[in-house]
Amino acid sequence: MKLPELCLVALVGVTGSGKSTFARRHFAPTQVLSSDAFRAMVADDENDQSASGDAFAALHYVAGKRLRAGRLTVVDATNVQPHARQALVALAREHDVLPVAIVLDMPEDECWARTRTRPDRDFGRPVVARQHRDLRRSLRSLSREGFRQVHVLRGVSEIDAATIEYEPLFNNRKELTGPFDIIGDVHGCRAELETLLDRLGYALSRDASGRPVDAAHPSGRTAVFVGDLVDRGPDSPGVLRLVMGMVAAGHALCVSGNHEAKLLRKLRGKNVSLTHGLAETMAQLAEEPDFSPMSFLDGLISHYVLDGGRLVVAHAGLKEAYHGRASGRVRSFALYGDTTGETDEYGLPVRYPWANEYRGRAMVVYGHTPTPSPEWINNTICVDTGCVFGGALTALRYPSRELVSVPAERTYYEPVRPLAPAAPDEPDAMDLADVTGRRSLETPAGRVTVAAENAAAALEVMSRFAVDPAWLVWLPPTMAPASTSAQEGYLEHPVEALADYARAGVPRVVCQEKHMGSRAVFNVRRDGAGVVYTRTGRPFFPDVAPLVERVVAAIGGAGLWDELGTDWLLLDAEVLPWSAKAEPLIRDQYASVAAAAGAALPAARSALAAAAGRGIAVGDLAERFAAREAAIGAFAEVYRRYCWPTDGLAGIRLAPFHVLASAGANHARNGHEWHLSVMDRLVAADPELFTTTRRLLVDPGDPAGVAAAVDWWLELTGAGGEGMVVKPAEDAGPRVQPAIKCRGREYLRIIYSPDYTEPERLAALRGRNLGRKRGLALREQGLGLAALDLLAAGAPAWRVHQLVFAVQACESEPVDPRL
């Protein structure tokens, strides 16, 4: 027996016919759903017939889940009554798979003899006899009931000798990886097809009469035709002859269009109206009585799944649930598309915009509805550019996504509806289902799972406070600190930061000045439009237009628009001073502490001095309060360094450090020396606005380099700097921390506490756990890189935002915020 690789198999046979034994022999245990097993699940007794209703409800539910996932499923039950089989046929149709019946036709006496040997079967022979009569009646009706294959095995010898092989569905050509040239609706335009094939590099072969009968590409490329080869144009037989020859020679594939299906019905003598160009095709075929395309047309299938499932070609497109499936409604969708049930002012059906809702991973290429130019919508593209209507004949080169077109030599057929650009119904519109619930997303760092509760928290921020998702294409990942330092008096130190990278095998790192400001992402366009948002996606300032204007001008002054060949740029930067954005935070969280301590500690010191003057022993206590007062002074000095007055743009400084992306390019994986050199050009273009990020290139395994980095860091932090960020000079892969921060000893007072440097406090802090923070940094970095990859590839905005949303969701994980 040869079974489809994806089908629903119903085993049909009397009790005792050996169905369960047959299933164990020929199918994997996970593929077999046994009615006895489901009765045991719901009633603790596989023979409890009163539980059959619930048992079969559960069985059908599980079978539906398997079929939806594309897994072969076998139902082990008697299935000798029509109502039981009808439920299985309906289930197969619901999931667009083929129902198959395997009948084990054993003699009644043999079935009864086997049943008697089983002590758990306590029913009499009349039950077996009734089932056997039902089976005899069923054999005549299985095909009529909807089973696409019926295999009848008679007697013990046939059942024991049976073997099973699996055949891929006709639409499954996943083994073909291309490259492909996918050609839109030809509609009898043979001359334009020849021109297009020539431009694509195919060499045409002709018969003795000079007619093209084949075309082959010297590099082995395969042409794929989306259907509608015929009707309306001047030479439908010529197009058919050429495409049939290419398909027969293995140089092309072709799916059926609605016009091929209609022509086939006419050639078979069906009552078909000669409209929409069919009359012209029939007249042209009548002039060539020796040419018959019937066998070719009859062999055309609804769609192909190619390149490991990464490419689907169907005449009118195909939604994801139908990819690789086989049913009447799949074929109908592939040939005719979906409609709203309405008609437009031209009397034509209104197409339902299925592509706007498409979320599949496979690229879908189709035709059917002519458009003046191809347009990508959610990883789908229509390549019917209306050649027969005076437009062009277009091919999509896969996988490069290059479009190649040749203009029509003339208008052969006036369209009922004028060609007009497709009006997609917000194809990039965000769908709540894309971001809510538990999700698993693919990134360069592996799969990242987002918990449902974290997604809900992110939704609160994104929906209420974030900038327009169309602009929100990336969020900065969190950054882990260096391993806790063993250096005397330090919690973080360059020695440990560099050792972290040395252990990871990173040969060179960039030690980069860490500016103490507010993180800002600039998404700006050459025409002056743009947004600036925070690391959580919120608008940075109420009015960023003057700032965006200066940044756009500086990019132009640095020559980056032309050099990068782009009209937009995504920059990662720090906005200085910290107080420009964080003044309320500084006032409420930091200055209030310093003010309270400044009022309370001198009074306490005075009281302690008075007590000492009366001879009370308060020396130790006075020393502790003096140390606290000094620590509070140091604490206040830290945050005050990062505050200065601003007025509009006056006083604002930008410290950019990443060119993240531009049109068609993800720059995030470029070496950091490249990024910082580009940033230096922005500083040169507008030195009043931009400030340089100082840096030092170091070999983390070289003691001299480590010593130089320590001295540099001590100098930076001694002058009031926050610290430094250490990054691999070149991309080190998804398993290495993209950046490690090493903050200064004084700066950490505003993170941990003014007196965190006290020995006992420092000892306690050295037990901090960095594992969760580092894992979070890698996941968020992977999500960000995946978002930038999709952005550069021109993916739909919803796919980019799905990853950006996940970064925000990750921020809800329980991680020590001080790290």
Side-chain angles (χ1 to χ4, degrees), residues 220-242:
R221 299 180 68 92
T222 301
V224 184
F225 293 90
V226 303
D228 277 7
L229 304 173
V230 301
D231 295 347
R232 297 178 174 143
D235 192 2
S236 290
V239 172
L240 284 169
R241 184 180 293 106
L242 174 54

Side-chain angles (χ1 to χ4, degrees), residues 401-426:
R401 293 193 173 207
E402 176 190 358
L403 289 165
V404 180
S405 297
V406 296
E409 294 185 359
R410 64 183 181 88
T411 299
Y412 301 102
Y413 201 93
E414 290 295 337
V416 175
R417 178 172 50 206
L419 288 185
D425 182 18
E426 297 187 67

Side-chain angles (χ1 to χ4, degrees), residues 593-608 624-633:
V593 172
L601 290 177
R605 291 278 308 282
S606 178
L608 288 170
R624 289 203 300 274
F625 270 82
R628 285 187 181 180
E629 192 170 5
I632 282 293

Side-chain angles (χ1 to χ4, degrees), residues 83 287 459 465 582 587:
H83 71 86
E287 296 176 2
L459 182 63
F465 306 114
R587 183 176 58 247

Side-chain angles (χ1 to χ4, degrees), residues 462 472-479 518-522 533-538 540 570-574 657-658 660 727 738 773 776-785 787-788 803-811:
M462 292 294 213
L472 188 58
V473 295
W474 182 81
L475 282 177
T478 192
M479 181 165 39
S518 301
R519 192 75 170 265
V521 180
F522 288 74
Y533 56 86
T534 68
R535 69 178 311 274
T536 59
R538 304 175 187 226
F540 198 92
L570 190 66
L571 300 175
D572 189 12
E574 200 84 4
F657 39 84
H658 282 138
L660 293 165
K727 303 176 180 179
K773 180 74 169 183
L776 186 63
L778 288 176
R779 294 199 302 277
E780 291 188 7
Q781 172 74 358
L783 289 165
L785 285 174
L788 294 176
L803 293 156
V804 176
F805 189 97
V807 175
Q808 180 65 51
C810 287
E811 286 295 302

Side-chain angles (χ1 to χ4, degrees), residues 481-497 500 713 740-753 755-770 774 816 818-819:
S483 294
T484 302
S485 177
Q487 308 294 316
E488 182 68 27
Y490 288 92
L491 187 62
E492 296 178 11
H493 195 274
V495 168
E496 282 75 20
D500 287 340
W713 178 79
I740 292 175
K741 57 188 175 185
C742 183
R743 296 166 289 185
R745 184 174 185 268
E746 294 303 311
Y747 171 79
L748 287 176
R749 293 185 188 278
I750 66 172
I751 301 299
Y752 288 102
S753 71
D755 55 355
Y756 88 99
T757 53
E758 292 294 321
E760 64 278 8
R761 291 182 179 271
L762 200 56
L765 289 172
R766 285 198 167 107
R768 62 185 187 168
N769 187 343
L770 304 181
R774 289 182 170 179
D816 186 348
R818 301 172 299 176
L819 294 177

